[in-house]
Amino acid sequence: MSEFSLESPTEDAVDAPAAEGGRAAPAQPYLVLARKYRPTSFGDLIGQDAMVQTLANAISKDRIAHAFLMTGVRGVGKTSTARLIAKALNCIGPDGKGGPTIDPCGQCEPCRAIGEGRFIDVVEMDAASNTGVDDVREIIDASRYAAVSARYKIYIIDEVHMLSKNAFNALLKTLEEPPAHVKFIMATTEVGKVPVTVLSRTQRFDLKRIPAERLAQHFGEIAAKEGAEIEPDALKLIAGAAEGSVRDGLSLLDQAIAHGSGAITAEAVRGMLGLSDRNRTRDLLARILEGDSKGALGELNAQYTLGVGPDMALEALLETVHSITRMQVGADVDLVTSADGKQKLAEWADQLSASVLHRFWQLLLKGLEEVKRGTMALQTAEMAILRLIHAAQMPDPGALLKALDGAAASSAQAAPAEAPAATAAPTALASPAQAHPAPPRQPVFQGLPKSYDQLLDFFVKAEPKVEAWLHDQVACVGFSETELVLSGRAHDERVRELREEVRREFGVDLSVRFEDVAGAATVQEQKEARAAAERQSVLDDPAVRRVMDIFPAAQLIEYDLTGTEDADGAGVSAHSTQRNAL
């Protein structure tokens, strides 16, 4: 029987008696579904419509590339597609007069020989076991000779990424300019390991994962041909476990048919795959949300007794949290969830906030990583569950801050009319020099600057070094049109530069002298004192204090006093973070 045949062996072929001796012919060996239903035409390929359309147009317009590269995950039809291309290019039709076609007849000698793997002009090489230069050199030498009985000599190199670097280099020139009668078709699951020099010389096709809905339909058709009764939910489970691979799904279907003896239920498939029951997973999540530590650990251990691994239990919880999040944003959930399950997920989607779901997701991911990495899987999973319960009982920081802001606003509105007198409280923390803020700086002066701040503004452009000295190192204790009195460390060079600039710009001989004044603060020290007083006023706000009481390890990162109406905190927006937080 052809390896690619889509039809099952006929009863006549299996049970027909021998022509001589009256003895029954030996039964043919069983062929697994993945080989039995391998595509024999492009119409049998599922989920690869774009590639089939491209090849059909190329063949019909005689624009056939000299080299193809098929890439994709396991089991999506890379090698099968390569053999179909070989058939399409070498088909001669039932009458022997046909040309290349996207619909090979399957009856001519090239089609039948390629399907049976005995066509001399179609050479398959497994690059995983033939990785060296010598193996490639054989292909290069043989490619010089014309095809024996076909239109094209075709080389199919499977798992091409396994070739060595030297083997790739040896193949490059022939791959770029092969003889007209030679076509190369390569297949790989790891296209990232194929050198760019090879990729640039091929026509690349990325075979897609097959959608679960299409896989379930395909498996149902095959199960019907096999005479097996299978529940729709069982088909969905198998399609989901296949992860887009037809071959993986057919292997699972083969196993399910054997497991169920012809009648396949979703429960049997779930047990065969070792999946945690979804109802029990939802029960476990319900106990976690209720804070029932004993019940949650009991449910986890009950699933473990039934054969569900701790990592599988956490993965099932992750899947449930993901489904809730998808339902919360209005997306569809997976195919397997029942109507009752969807109703429960919808309830949780309404009750839980997005921040809680994201927190659960991160904690479960961390727990799953610990389970897989550690040596005590069950105990690690239990601790992850307890950590999740603790997180479920904690208040949402965002909602808490909103509630505290609302409470602060209410208390501000209820304050007595004389409350504005308290506005002086935050500024009381500042130094006396800050009681009256300096007038705004003016960039342009008419005559000698009238204030110390204006003098600093002048020196920002005139002599930045003098401005930096006046700003950071000395304090002004007196200023007039003829005299500047400073307190702090004298600097003869800076004093000379200051007087020369004032004399040159304003024609004034400014006198500079120094006095030791206790408590005199530089402009920089005044700014730092104001910032500290402002920060302290935020920390003294009642709403902020309540947050700090609830989260003792919290720190004030930033605050915004824009729109602040009073000093007791109304209108203050503070942001905090908590170390070791969830």
Side-chain angles (χ1 to χ4, degrees), residues 141-202:
D141 293 339
S143 66
R144 300 173 183 171
Y145 303 100
V148 176
S149 61
R151 187 177 297 111
Y152 294 105
K153 179 179 284 188
I154 295 178
Y155 292 94
I156 299 175
I157 307 176
D158 202 6
E159 301 299 335
V160 69
H161 67 275
M162 300 292 287
L163 289 179
S164 66
K165 180 179 179 181
N166 292 335
F168 273 123
N169 290 335
L171 184 62
L172 283 180
K173 194 61 179 177
T174 304
L175 187 63
E176 183 176 16
E177 299 178 0
H181 60 272
V182 173
K183 302 292 182 185
F184 288 96
I185 307 176
M186 295 172 285
T188 179
T189 55
E190 301 185 44
V191 70
K193 294 184 179 180
V194 179
V196 177
T197 50
V198 173
L199 295 177
S200 66
R201 290 166 166 83
T202 62

Side-chain angles (χ1 to χ4, degrees), residues 457-480:
D457 283 341
F458 165 71
F459 276 104
V460 166
K461 294 182 177 179
E463 186 56 65
K465 291 186 293 184
V466 174
E467 190 275 340
W469 173 66
L470 292 173
H471 186 279
D472 297 341
Q473 300 183 22
V474 294
C476 176
V477 295
F479 181 70
S480 67

Side-chain angles (χ1 to χ4, degrees), residues 9-50:
T10 62
E11 295 181 0
D12 293 339
V14 176
D15 302 326
E20 298 179 2
R23 291 176 300 175
Q28 293 185 7
Y30 176 71
L31 202 61
V32 296
L33 298 181
R35 293 184 59 194
K36 186 175 180 180
Y37 293 98
R38 175 171 280 171
T40 58
S41 68
F42 284 102
D44 296 333
L45 280 175
I46 61 173
Q48 312 299 343
D49 297 339

Side-chain angles (χ1 to χ4, degrees), residues 58-238:
I59 292 174
S60 64
K61 297 180 180 180
D62 195 21
R63 300 178 61 89
I64 305 171
H66 62 272
F68 301 91
L69 177 67
M70 307 292 162
T71 178
V73 298
R74 66 197 184 279
V76 292
K78 298 183 296 297
T79 307
S80 297
T81 301
R83 293 169 179 168
L84 290 177
I85 294 176
K87 278 187 181 182
L89 297 182
N90 285 319
C91 178
I92 60 176
D95 57 0
K97 298 180 181 180
T101 174
I102 195 64
D103 296 312
C105 66
Q107 302 176 20
C108 63
E109 176 58 23
C111 285
R112 289 188 288 107
I114 292 173
E116 295 169 5
R118 57 178 176 82
F119 198 56
I120 191 171
D121 290 320
V122 176
V123 181
E124 290 194 33
M125 186 183 95
D126 178 20
S129 55
N130 300 277
T131 62
V133 176
D134 292 339
D135 302 305
V136 171
R137 186 179 293 118
E138 292 182 9
I139 294 178
I140 297 173
D141 293 339
S143 66
R144 300 173 183 171
Y145 303 100
V148 176
S149 61
R151 187 177 297 111
Y152 294 105
K153 179 179 284 188
I154 295 178
Y155 292 94
I156 299 175
I157 307 176
D158 202 6
E159 301 299 335
V160 69
H161 67 275
M162 300 292 287
L163 289 179
S164 66
K165 180 179 179 181
N166 292 335
F168 273 123
N169 290 335
L171 184 62
L172 283 180
K173 194 61 179 177
T174 304
L175 187 63
E176 183 176 16
E177 299 178 0
H181 60 272
V182 173
K183 302 292 182 185
F184 288 96
I185 307 176
M186 295 172 285
T188 179
T189 55
E190 301 185 44
V191 70
K193 294 184 179 180
V194 179
V196 177
T197 50
V198 173
L199 295 177
S200 66
R201 290 166 166 83
T202 62
Q203 192 171 98
R204 172 175 167 178
F205 291 100
D206 290 84
L207 277 67
K208 303 176 182 177
R209 292 179 184 269
I210 314 302
E213 297 87 347
R214 184 67 183 88
L215 280 179
Q217 178 186 349
H218 182 60
F219 297 157
E221 295 170 356
I222 291 178
K225 292 179 181 178
E226 293 293 309
E229 297 180 3
I230 183 168
E231 293 181 355
D233 284 347
L235 286 173
K236 293 176 182 179
L237 284 172
I238 294 173

Side-chain angles (χ1 to χ4, degrees), residues 43 115 125 160 274 328 392 496 559 575:
M125 186 183 95
V160 69
Q328 194 174 67
R496 181 184 61 79
Y559 54 87
H575 305 277

